[in-house]
Amino acid sequence: MKIPKRLRPLVEDGLIDEVISRLMSGKEADVYIVRCGDSIRCAKVYKDAVKRSFKKAAQYQEGRKVRSGRQARAMQKSSNYGRQQQEEIWQNAEVDALSRLGRAGVRVPETFGCVDGVLLMELVTDGDGDVAPRLGDVMMSEEQAIEDHNLMMHYIMLMLCEGIVHGDLSEFNVLVDDDGPVIIDLPQAVNAAANNSAQEMFARDVNNMRRYYGSFAPALLRTQYAKEMWALFEEGNLTPGSTLSGDFGDRNDSADVDSVLEEIKAVMQEEQARQERIREAVEEA
Ligand SMILES: Nc1ncnc2c1ncn2[C@@H]1O[C@H](COP(=O)(O)OP(=O)(O)OP(=O)(O)O)[C@@H](O)[C@H]1O
Ligand SMILES: [Mg+2]
């Protein structure tokens, strides 16, 4: 295909040899399949900050380290320089998070650098070499859902041990390859210890996963991993080797009955949406 403008510098520098196709155009980025030497990779081109919500970005960026006082002042003023800095921090946050998580044992795409607002990374593929589907497009048996949910909780625990909360974890930001779930899309990752909204975002992330896998294995809807992990984290007792039970003391509280009902409602809505997708696919065919 014709080389998109934003990828030209990388082609000129020899980082990319060929742009094969555009994979996705998301809210925050365009994603391309590219060839680098003999390897097929993925290039995520970040859209301009103006196209993203700055208010939301501010909540996510709380607790992030900036390099100098000048940088912090510029960011506050939202000057051009400040915008550019904020942009760089946003992009670097994704590479940083991906490499830290990869080292910690969380299954994420391997990265090959971030240049001129383009992140080069491993293209996650299925057994046939096709681009891996998103979790939200995958149906699975109850057994498989329990196994993958378990693995996902383990990954989330490893992330929290690293001090990272994804902040936007859902079935749309998880791909599924032959070895199970792969977590993607981390520019908004937050610092677990320094961000006041971290606990809330953490619970939302964990409970999104519980809801999705729970739609195939309803027993999962009763688990309380978010509370269990956060309590251990706050006590300073969460380690990569911690064993989790999914139980949490206050299960019979009325608040929990409410949350189970909410989950059931969410699962029913999920099922309705799935039926609709199936109907649409049948109609299209
Ligand atoms: N490493 C990868 N391998 C395969 N596919 C990928 C990879 N990274 C991203 N994708 C595909 O591109 C889509 C968009 O990527 P990502 O979620 O990182 O960007 P985004 O702009 O935040 O998108 P959205 O707004 O849809 O969440 C993903 O849902 C996935 O289908
Ligand atoms: Mg995404």
Side-chain angles (χ1 to χ4, degrees), residues 27-28 44 134 168 172-173 184-185:
K27 286 189 299 291
E28 275 143 13
K44 179 171 177 177
R134 298 190 205 201
D168 191 21
F172 306 108
N173 283 330
I184 61 163
D185 202 2

Side-chain angles (χ1 to χ4, degrees), residues 75-146:
M75 277 169 57
Q76 266 162 9
K77 278 198 214 136
S78 259
S79 63
N80 270 345
Y81 172 75
R83 272 216 192 109
Q84 205 184 320
Q85 292 296 309
Q86 213 157 34
E87 201 52 29
E88 240 178 62
I89 288 172
W90 177 264
Q91 292 161 8
N92 286 336
E94 178 151 39
V95 197
D96 283 357
L98 285 170
S99 24
R100 277 170 64 194
L101 294 180
R103 279 197 301 273
V106 179
R107 185 77 171 82
V108 290
E110 188 183 346
T111 56
F112 303 98
C114 187
V115 183
D116 291 338
V118 180
L119 166 63
L120 280 175
M121 63 181 147
E122 168 194 353
L123 180 73
V124 182
T125 54
D126 64 13
D128 301 327
D130 295 325
V131 179
R134 298 190 205 201
L135 177 60
D137 296 321
V138 174
M139 303 281 233
M140 63 189 95
S141 65
E142 183 172 1
E143 233 182 347
Q144 187 70 55
I146 290 171

Side-chain angles (χ1 to χ4, degrees), residues 7-16 115-116:
L7 291 180
R8 259 178 240 156
L10 287 87
V11 174
E12 278 156 19
D13 289 350
L15 290 167
I16 293 178
V115 183
D116 291 338

